[in-house]
Amino acid sequence: MVRQWQHLIYGGRYSQTTLDRGPDFVKLAEAYGIHGVTVRDEASLRKALNDAVASRADGLGWVIDCRIDIDEMVRPMVGGNSFITNFMLY
């Protein structure tokens, strides 16, 4: 959401929001002995959620790493120094 603020409010002056070197969350989950999967689309997300629910009897947690486009806009958006109910229109 910070990147979105930088795009909408600060004219595209990006700082510290290009996170292309993050950890491998799947490997991190596996290191802790739990399930991990990376998804990149809605069909993969649906499958991952179904798999997680179906395997709940094994007592292990799940990490679902959802990869979205870096410029995807989230809604609702609240500007800085605003009430949480003061949504931005864009």
Side-chain angles (χ1 to χ4, degrees):
M1 203 183 288
V2 171
R3 183 177 176 83
Q4 188 168 317
W5 279 358
Q6 292 170 348
H7 173 75
L8 295 172
I9 301 169
Y10 300 106
R13 293 187 305 273
Y14 301 111
S15 175
Q16 309 304 314
T17 56
T18 302
L19 306 174
D20 58 354
R21 302 182 311 268
D24 185 332
F25 290 107
V26 172
K27 288 190 187 284
L28 187 59
E30 291 169 353
Y32 282 96
I34 61 177
H35 304 287
V37 65
T38 298
V39 299
R40 300 184 191 297
D41 56 42
E42 187 176 340
S44 298
L45 176 59
R46 188 174 310 279
K47 181 181 180 331
L49 289 171
N50 287 332
D51 290 348
V53 169
S55 70
R56 69 184 179 274
D58 70 10
L60 299 177
W62 274 74
V63 171
I64 301 175
D65 180 15
C66 299
R67 299 295 176 106
I68 61 172
D69 184 273
I70 194 169
D71 291 314
E72 184 73 32
M73 297 288 181
V74 297
R75 295 175 193 260
M77 181 69 184
V78 178
N81 201 28
S82 295
F83 291 106
I84 193 70
T85 56
N86 222 9
F87 302 138
M88 292 177 62
L89 302 175
Y90 56 92

